[in-house]
Amino acid sequence: MQETVAAPPARAGLVPAGLIYTLRILVTAHTVALLVAASFAGRGLVYDDNFALTLDPSRFETHVMAGLAAHVIGLLQLIAAILVWRPGRGAGWPALASLGLFVLGVAQHFLLMIGLNAHLPNGVALFGLLLATTIWVWSPRAAQRR
C-alpha cells in the first residue's frame, strides 16, 4: 500500500507570504530612502543676498542621489504591488498607489528644474501617499485576498 503525501494547503484567503513580505520590505525601504533624500535636501538650500532660498548645486548632489535610489526602489515596489494584486489576488489599490508614487517621484526631478515652488509641494504629496501605503501594507488586512 502506497501512502500519498499531499502538499500542505495554502492558507485560504491570504496573499502568499513571500509576496506580501517583499512588498512590505520594499515599501519600508522606499519610505526610508525618501526620508534620507528629504534630510539631505536642506543641505543644498542656501539664502542669497536678498534672503531668498536658492540651490547650491555642489551641496545638492547627495539629495539627488538619494532621490534616485528612492525611484529605483519605487519601481521595484510597483512590480511587487502588481504581483500582490494579480497573481496574489490581493488588493489592487496599492499597485495604483505605487504607480502614483513612481510617477510623482520621477516628476520630482523635472520639478526641481522649474523651481522649489513646484518641487516642495510635490514632495509633500509623495510623502503623504507613501505614508498611507506604508501604514496599510503593515496592517493585517494587507495579507487578505480580495
Side-chain angles (χ1 to χ4, degrees):
M1 177 153 113
Q2 285 186 345
E3 188 175 315
T4 306
V5 178
R11 293 182 5 191
L14 294 179
V15 175
L19 288 177
I20 198 68
Y21 279 111
T22 300
L23 182 60
R24 285 175 176 171
I25 289 168
L26 288 170
V27 168
T28 302
H30 195 185
T31 304
V32 169
L34 190 66
L35 287 172
V36 168
S39 69
F40 282 127
R43 296 184 65 200
L45 297 174
V46 293
Y47 286 101
D48 63 7
D49 295 336
N50 298 326
F51 294 105
L53 278 176
T54 59
L55 298 176
D56 180 5
S58 64
R59 298 171 60 188
F60 214 65
E61 186 176 338
T62 52
H63 172 67
V64 173
M65 295 309 292
L68 286 174
H71 301 326
V72 170
I73 295 169
L75 180 59
L76 294 174
Q77 173 187 327
L78 174 60
I79 293 168
I82 291 171
L83 290 174
V84 164
W85 172 44
R86 294 310 300 167
R89 296 188 339 202
W93 80 265
L96 187 59
S98 296
L99 176 62
L101 286 166
F102 183 71
V103 169
L104 283 174
V106 171
Q108 279 292 83
H109 285 290
F110 298 107
L111 291 175
L112 185 59
M113 290 184 262
I114 294 171
L116 293 176
N117 293 339
H119 186 77
L120 292 177
N122 189 54
V124 171
L126 185 65
F127 183 73
L129 183 57
L130 188 55
L131 183 62
T133 306
T134 303
I135 291 169
W136 177 83
V137 81
W138 283 102
S139 73
R141 290 185 49 98
Q144 295 176 355
R145 288 191 173 183
R146 304 289 173 229

